[in-house]
Amino acid sequence: MNNIRHQFRKWINNWLDNRQPKARQVTLTQKIIYILPSRFGLWYIFLLILLYLLGTNYQNNLILLMSYMLVSVLLLALALAWRNLHGLTVSCAPVLSAYAEETLMVPVTVQSHQPRQQLQCYFNNRLSAAVSDDTSEPLMVPLLTEQRGFLPLPRLTLHSYYPFGLFNCKSLLNLDYHYWVFPKPLATDTAVVSGDIAGSKQSSSEDYDTIRSYQAGDSLKLMHWKRLARDPTNPVVKHAPSSPQPEPDWISIPPISGAALEVALSKACYLMLHLEQRGKHYGLRIKDKSISPSCGQQHLERCLRELALC
């Protein structure tokens, strides 16, 4: 049964791709507008058939006239539903990125030279957004992200039940855009970094004091009095050497797969965000690729994209 559904969906997608190939901007024409009766419309058609059968069976002209009037309303609703979508121009701004299991707001622009009524936009998750009369501002359509990676934008459904709710007039648009989904950050202990996720090397200075020649302005508390007693002509003061700068942190992904890999990527994502927030330099070792330590938004984006494609 599942195989039959899969084959049917594949055939539908191929058929839709042939009618409307991928494009950055799509203008709705008769070829890509699909009109089907709604549930209310099916009951309406059933009522029409019932009235017509009653009118012809009992030869009642009033019932026949009523059925003809209702047919006229049905045809008028069909024409208005098609006209409400025909000629719309739909485009999408470059899509940004999100973390897994978050809702990505996709900016969609719907342009029209005349007012449109009761338009709704949604992706596969059915989280819809209403199209307003102000077409100058992009419409933010929610998209629920599930898996990480560099993914193509799913089909955008633009539909309306205008004018009487008898027909569901829709268009399934295939916009040629992609978006990034990074691993979901998973909180981990940043004080003690696990060796299978990240490695941090930091040189610790030895706890000792050195001496140097006395200079004007040095505190007398630092004076080496015993040395001064032996050699009054050469006063020295105690001097603590400057601690060396810590080496950058390295985040490495072990060669694992499955659920363990997803957990490792989520923890690595959290560590990157934590180090970036603190302004520390960090590098990434993943598979056979290594990214040199750095910091900043561009470096963070580059590392997160490597995690998404792992």
Side-chain angles (χ1 to χ4, degrees):
M1 191 65 179
N2 293 333
N3 189 25
I4 296 176
R5 291 180 179 177
H6 177 72
Q7 293 296 331
F8 178 74
R9 291 178 181 175
K10 183 178 180 180
W11 179 82
I12 288 293
N13 290 330
N14 292 335
W15 182 73
L16 292 173
D17 289 339
N18 293 331
R19 295 182 69 87
Q20 189 258 302
K22 284 188 175 183
R24 292 296 180 93
Q25 180 174 299
V26 181
T27 300
L28 273 62
T29 60
Q30 184 176 353
K31 186 177 181 180
I32 57 175
I33 296 178
Y34 312 100
I35 305 177
L36 294 173
S38 62
R39 182 177 299 179
F40 174 65
L42 292 175
W43 284 105
Y44 186 91
I45 295 173
F46 176 75
L47 176 63
L48 287 179
I49 297 174
L50 183 61
L51 288 177
Y52 181 77
L53 292 177
L54 289 175
T56 55
N57 185 46
Y58 293 102
Q59 297 182 357
N60 191 318
N61 293 332
L62 290 177
I63 297 179
L64 289 175
L65 178 61
M66 178 61 70
S67 63
Y68 295 151
M69 290 178 61
L70 293 178
V71 170
S72 301
V73 173
L74 183 69
L75 297 178
L76 178 63
L78 180 64
L80 291 178
W82 172 82
R83 185 176 178 272
N84 193 41
L85 262 68
H86 186 265
L88 286 175
T89 300
V90 182
S91 60
C92 180
V95 184
L96 302 178
S97 57
Y99 298 98
E101 300 181 9
E102 285 187 351
T103 300
L104 176 65
M105 305 305 293
V106 181
V108 176
T109 302
V110 180
Q111 299 177 348
S112 174
H113 298 293
Q114 57 185 0
R116 307 293 174 151
Q117 306 293 331
Q118 302 175 12
L119 292 178
Q120 297 281 335
C121 288
Y122 64 86
F123 290 104
N124 296 339
N125 48 26
R126 298 280 181 171
L127 298 176
S128 61
V131 179
S132 61
D133 296 335
D134 185 10
T135 58
S136 60
E137 294 293 333
L139 176 68
M140 306 307 293
V141 183
L143 172 62
L144 182 62
T145 58
E146 297 180 355
Q147 59 180 0
R148 59 179 175 83
F150 186 56
L151 306 175
L153 201 64
R155 291 188 181 276
L156 175 67
T157 302
L158 183 67
H159 80 104
S160 174
Y161 288 102
Y162 177 81
F164 306 125
L166 298 177
F167 293 99
N168 183 8
C169 186
K170 66 171 58 178
S171 183
L172 305 175
L173 306 179
N174 195 3
L175 299 176
D176 189 13
Y177 286 94
H178 289 72
Y179 63 99
W180 286 96
V181 180
F182 304 138
K184 180 181 179 180
L186 181 61
T188 183
D189 188 3
T190 56
V192 181
V193 182
S194 177
D196 60 343
I197 302 297
S200 177
K201 296 180 180 179
Q202 183 173 350
S203 300
S204 59
S205 60
E206 297 180 5
D207 188 13
Y208 66 93
D209 290 334
T210 60
I211 57 176
R212 61 172 174 81
S213 299
Y214 175 80
Q215 298 178 1
D218 289 338
S219 175
L220 295 179
K221 295 181 180 180
L222 301 179
M223 183 70 68
H224 200 297
W225 298 105
K226 294 182 179 180
R227 178 75 173 268
L228 181 62
R230 295 196 305 267
D231 189 6
T233 60
N234 187 22
V236 295
V237 294
K238 299 178 181 179
H239 173 64
S242 59
S243 59
Q245 294 294 328
E247 295 186 8
D249 293 89
W250 280 96
I251 301 176
S252 59
I253 306 299
I256 52 180
S257 60
L261 175 61
E262 299 300 326
V263 173
L265 293 176
S266 296
K267 291 184 177 181
C269 179
Y270 178 83
L271 289 175
M272 284 183 185
L273 297 176
H274 178 76
L275 294 173
E276 183 66 32
Q277 185 178 8
R278 296 175 58 187
K280 298 185 63 177
H281 285 62
Y282 57 92
L284 176 64
R285 294 191 181 103
I286 182 170
K287 294 184 178 179
D288 298 332
K289 191 172 183 179
S290 178
I291 299 179
S292 301
S294 183
C295 65
Q297 187 62 31
Q298 293 184 352
H299 179 69
L300 177 63
E301 287 280 340
R302 182 184 177 188
C303 294
L304 290 176
R305 291 183 179 184
E306 290 296 331
L307 294 182
L309 297 177
C310 180

